[in-house]
């Protein structure tokens, strides 16, 4: 059963019916509004209309006979209330709950230890950030005593590569038959010298499965056409801080008007020329020359009619420069101070930053992630009371209030000089319009769009030449579907518009897979088995031989496409 009426509900139902051949009942307010017509068009989907998820609605939907229940509405309290009611009706049902407030979710785990609590925006946020920065998102998974992570092949030692994931060329290929051609790999992390410097892991990024009470899986990106074939990892806070220090002087200079800069530089040049002249004429040391000149500049000094012409001219020039320099410096300082205040009020920044449009749940997580990684961020939203506005203020992130589809709002966010722009609002029209206007201001700008319709996202890439468009539902659906089917979906990896899943499944008695060798499971472009745990063993065999027989009770850890995972799950179930 799937309860909801939004892109995630539709994508999840489509995932379950088309790839896992499941019988799905969707409970929603109306089959005629929102995503109702699209859900009704899916084959194998039964529709139940209900204004609220009460006992009567669950009875009509057949919850007592259901194997799993996915509550994917956008109301945390409503989802929790429905989950508690569902447990009363069917204590054995497998619960998957969409949660926005992760703090609330962690508290709920004590009441529902077996339920999978997932946040689609938490799953998708690293992918959006990575796509904007042209890097690999931080994907780490702790599996059977090993920490696996996604990296470029040139960032890890050959002995640490578990399998090749994809070639990130203009036309990405996932799980290629020849693994040596894959430049994006899944590797095992080791401490100390076993890791190349560029691939060292932050200790805080270790994710377990949802059933272990850890945060939900995160995603990695290896986008196609406009992305470089091999991209840096997203975790670069130290390097970013060094870059920020290098541009610090340039930022300070940009606070001062160009006319003031020119005037100050000319007068400083005159002052220094006067210092040199007095030093040479009077035979003074550099310090005495500077000291004498400074006194002359500040006090004007007494005229010395007995001195030579050169010294008289120098003294005159110093006096004039000194009188003009003080008010000019004062004006420059006041001007810079005013600009700093205006920067905070208007969200102005100086360049090399990332503009994030839309501070809903996804946008809030993205600005927090970018901020924690040391990147400069400017946030844009239509409302001062939006979900992420307070977060932006707490993190001291410049906040621009306005319609992002308007050029003036984009100019206030300095879109003309930003490093990348993420359009993450809940409106496809605003996101696309903002992206096109930003591209007009800065041709070739790296733009990442959040689009709710996955097919529309693909068409946008082709029609408008914006190669990075994402659907949160498409990124999150595999994790929700896997949890609903009782599988351990450990993480997801986005390659272009395709999503790979790292998952573990158990082979049931009488399954089609039982008695067959592992090579029967491996399919280039679809499935790769990276670990096999025999029923009688406590620890797995990593990279098992292809002729290893599979028996009932064995567990397989695979990297697969969504279609490939469906094939494995179907073969692992009892016939």
């Amino acid at each position: 059963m799937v309860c909801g009426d939004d892109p995630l509900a539709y994508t999840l139902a489509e995932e379950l019916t088309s790839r896992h051949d499941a019988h799905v009942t969707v409970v929603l307010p109306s089959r005629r509004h929102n995503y109702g017509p699209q859900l009704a068009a899916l084959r194998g989907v039964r529709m139940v209309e209900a204004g609220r998820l009460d006992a009567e609605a669950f009875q009509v939907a057949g919850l007592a006979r259901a194997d799993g229940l996915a509550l994917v509405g956008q109301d945390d309290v409503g989802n929790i209330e429905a989950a508690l009611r569902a447990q009363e009706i069917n204590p054995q049902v497998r619960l998957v709950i969409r949660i926005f407030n992760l703090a609330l979710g962690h508290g709920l785990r004590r009441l529902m230890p077996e339920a999978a609590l997932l946040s689609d925006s938490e799953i998708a946020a690293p992918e959006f950030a990575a796509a904007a920065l042209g890097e690999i998102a931080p994907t780490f998974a702790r599996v059977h005593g090993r920490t696996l992570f996604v990296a470029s092949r040139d960032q890890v030692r050959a002995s640490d590569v578990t399998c090749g994931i994809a070639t990130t060329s203009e036309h990405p290929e996932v799980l290629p038959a020849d693994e040596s051609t894959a430049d994006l790999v899944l590797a095992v992390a080791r401490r100390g010298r076993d890791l190349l410097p560029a691939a060292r892991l932050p200790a805080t990024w270790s994710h377990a499965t949802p059933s272990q009470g850890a945060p939900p899986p995160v995603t990695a990106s290896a986008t196609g056409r406009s992305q470089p074939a091999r991209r840096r990892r997203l975790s670069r806070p130290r390097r970013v801080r060094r870059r920020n220090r290098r541009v610090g002087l340039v930022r300070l200079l940009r606070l001062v008007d160009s006319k003031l800069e020119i005037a100050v530089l000319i007068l400083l040049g005159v002052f220094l020329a006067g210092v040199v002249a007095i030093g040479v004429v009077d035979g003074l040391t550099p310090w005495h020359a500077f000291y004498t000149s400074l006194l002359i500049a500040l006090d004007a000094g007494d005229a010395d009619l007995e001195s030579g012409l050169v010294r008289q001219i120098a003294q005159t020039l110093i006096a004039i420069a000194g009188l003009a320099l003080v008010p000019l410096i004062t004006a420059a300082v006041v001007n810079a101070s005013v600009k700093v205040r205006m920067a905070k009020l208007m969200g102005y920044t100086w360049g090399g930053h990332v503009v994030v449009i839309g501070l809903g749940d996804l946008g809030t997580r993205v600005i927090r992630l970018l901020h924690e990684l040391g990147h400069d961020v400017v946030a844009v939203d239509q409302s001062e009371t939006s979900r992420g506005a307070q977060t932006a203020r707490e993190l001291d992130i410049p906040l621009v209030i306005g319609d992002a589809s308007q050029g003036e709002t984009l100019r206030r966010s300095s879109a003309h000089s930003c490093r990348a722009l993420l359009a993450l609002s809940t409106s496809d029209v605003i996101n696309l319009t903002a992206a096109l206007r930003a591209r007009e201001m800065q041709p070739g700008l790296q733009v990442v769009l959040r689009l709710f319709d996955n097919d529309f996202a693909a068409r946008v890439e082709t029609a408008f030449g914006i190669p990075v468009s994402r659907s949160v539902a498409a990124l999150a659906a595999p994790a929700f579907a896997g949890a609903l089917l009782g599988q351990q979906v450990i993480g997801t990896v986005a390659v272009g518009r395709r999503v790979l899943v790292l998952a573990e499944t158990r082979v049931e008695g009488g399954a089609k897979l039982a008695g067959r060798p592992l090579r029967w499971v491996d399919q280039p472009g679809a499935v790769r088995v990276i670990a096999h745990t025999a029923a009688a063993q406590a620890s797995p065999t990593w990279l098992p031989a292809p002729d290893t027989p599979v028996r009932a009770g064995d567990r397989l850890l695979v990297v697969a496409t969504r279609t490939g995972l469906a094939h494995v799950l179907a073969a692992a179930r009892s016939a």
Side-chain angles (χ1 to χ4, degrees):
M1 287 180 56
V2 175
C3 299
D5 180 20
D6 63 6
L8 179 58
Y10 170 77
T11 307
L12 178 56
E14 190 272 338
E15 178 96 7
L16 291 168
T17 54
S18 65
R19 291 186 168 86
H20 298 280
D21 196 27
H23 298 286
V24 178
T25 297
V26 176
V27 183
L28 76 173
S30 172
R31 66 173 65 225
R32 292 177 295 276
H33 301 98
N34 296 328
Y35 276 78
Q38 293 172 262
L39 284 162
L42 293 176
R43 294 179 58 185
V45 172
R46 172 176 170 246
M47 308 284 286
V48 173
E49 292 181 309
R52 61 189 303 267
L53 298 177
D54 53 17
E56 181 180 355
F58 282 142
Q59 182 179 0
V60 173
L63 175 62
R65 303 181 302 276
D67 294 324
L69 171 64
L71 299 164
V72 296
Q74 299 188 28
D75 178 8
D76 284 356
V77 175
N79 287 343
I80 294 171
E81 181 184 2
L84 294 172
R85 184 175 293 113
Q87 277 193 329
E88 295 174 358
I89 298 173
N90 183 355
Q92 305 303 318
V93 72
R94 187 179 299 113
L95 285 173
V96 179
I97 305 172
R98 180 188 193 179
I99 200 84
F100 289 92
N101 188 333
L102 293 183
L104 177 62
H106 292 317
L108 188 62
R109 290 186 191 280
R110 293 193 295 270
L111 297 175
M112 301 178 177
E114 300 301 323
L117 306 175
L118 303 178
S119 166
D120 55 334
S121 57
E122 183 78 5
I123 294 171
E127 157 61 18
F128 278 90
L133 300 173
E135 301 172 346
I136 296 174
T139 300
F140 304 98
R142 185 71 178 171
V143 187
H144 296 303
R146 290 189 177 189
T147 298
L148 302 178
F149 70 105
V150 177
S152 294
R153 186 181 289 274
D154 58 359
Q155 291 182 331
V156 296
R157 302 182 188 280
S159 59
D160 291 336
V161 174
T162 299
C163 75
I165 290 180
T167 58
T168 57
S169 58
E170 182 175 351
H171 302 287
E173 179 185 3
V174 298
L175 301 175
D178 183 3
E179 288 193 46
S180 63
T181 63
D183 52 359
L184 190 69
V185 301
L186 187 68
V188 58
R190 305 185 190 279
R191 292 184 178 274
R193 60 183 178 84
D194 292 335
L195 275 178
L196 292 180
R200 299 192 185 278
L201 298 180
T204 57
W205 284 340
S206 177
H207 291 268
T209 64
S211 61
Q212 294 171 305
V218 293
T219 61
S221 170
T223 54
R225 288 179 293 180
S226 71
Q227 303 296 321
R230 293 182 179 175
R231 301 183 299 171
R232 305 184 309 259
R233 290 183 48 240
L234 187 60
S235 172
R236 306 274 184 175
R238 292 183 181 177
R239 182 171 298 181
V240 170
R241 285 195 291 268
R242 288 198 296 269
R243 183 197 68 204
N244 290 344
R245 285 196 293 268
R246 287 197 298 269
V247 300
L249 179 59
V250 175
R251 290 182 172 183
L252 288 176
L253 288 177
R254 289 181 181 178
L255 288 173
V256 185
D257 286 342
S258 58
K259 293 180 179 179
L260 283 175
E261 291 176 5
I262 295 173
V264 170
L265 290 175
I266 291 175
L267 292 176
L268 285 176
V270 172
F271 178 80
L272 292 176
V275 171
V276 173
I278 285 184
V280 171
V281 173
D282 291 355
L284 302 177
T285 63
W287 163 248
H288 285 160
F290 175 77
Y291 180 70
T292 303
S293 301
L294 186 61
L295 290 180
I296 295 173
L298 294 177
D299 299 328
D302 298 327
D304 187 358
L305 300 178
E306 297 181 358
S307 60
L309 178 62
V310 175
R311 193 179 190 284
Q312 291 178 354
I313 294 174
Q315 186 176 5
T316 302
L317 292 175
I318 291 173
I320 295 173
L323 290 174
L325 189 58
V326 173
L328 280 175
I329 291 177
T330 302
V333 171
V334 171
N335 185 69
S337 177
V338 171
K339 281 200 169 187
V340 168
R341 287 178 175 270
M342 292 299 294
K344 291 189 175 183
L345 291 174
M346 301 183 63
Y348 179 87
T349 190
W350 299 281
H353 57 294
V354 178
V355 176
V356 178
I357 297 171
L359 297 182
D361 193 63
L362 176 63
T364 301
R365 297 186 194 280
V366 169
I367 64 171
R368 185 180 293 277
L369 175 60
L370 291 171
H371 178 77
E372 289 174 352
L373 293 174
H375 296 281
D376 294 327
V377 181
V378 171
V380 181
D381 199 89
Q382 288 184 311
S383 172
E384 294 185 0
T385 60
S386 62
R387 187 182 299 235
Q390 183 59 36
T391 299
R393 296 186 183 99
E394 291 173 356
L395 299 177
D396 200 25
I397 292 174
L399 176 61
V400 177
I401 303 299
D403 184 355
S405 63
Q406 302 299 317
E408 176 60 27
T409 302
L410 292 176
R411 280 189 289 273
R412 290 170 57 197
S413 67
S414 293
H416 60 279
S417 60
C418 69
R419 174 183 179 182
L421 182 140
L422 293 98
L424 309 180
S425 78
T426 56
S427 169
D428 285 355
V429 173
I430 290 179
N431 290 342
L432 182 57
T433 303
L436 295 176
R437 286 186 179 275
R439 277 286 185 88
E440 292 176 359
M441 295 180 179
Q442 187 183 160
L445 173 66
Q446 179 70 358
V447 173
V448 180
L449 292 181
R450 174 192 186 180
L451 298 175
F452 286 85
D453 189 322
N454 202 36
D455 293 334
F456 179 52
R459 290 193 293 270
V460 165
E461 290 188 2
T462 303
F464 296 99
I466 300 176
V468 185
S469 54
R470 293 284 178 267
S471 164
V472 174
L475 292 170
F480 279 80
L484 194 59
L485 294 171
Q487 308 303 319
Q488 292 185 348
V489 176
I490 300 166
T492 58
V493 182
V495 182
R497 298 210 55 78
R498 304 186 68 181
V499 178
L500 294 179
V501 182
L502 176 64
E504 186 173 47
T505 186
R506 181 180 178 275
V507 180
E508 299 176 357
K512 184 179 180 180
L513 182 55
R516 296 180 182 269
L518 284 177
R519 68 165 57 90
W520 188 83
V521 184
D522 272 324
Q523 296 181 10
V527 183
R528 181 147 299 139
V529 179
I530 61 175
H532 168 250
T533 307
Q537 293 180 340
S539 58
T541 300
W542 292 91
L543 302 180
D547 56 354
T548 302
V550 180
R551 297 181 174 85
D554 291 359
R555 296 195 305 274
L556 303 180
L557 182 64
V558 301
V559 179
T561 62
R562 301 190 310 193
T563 302
L565 180 61
H567 164 75
V568 173
L569 297 182
R573 295 196 195 102
S574 298

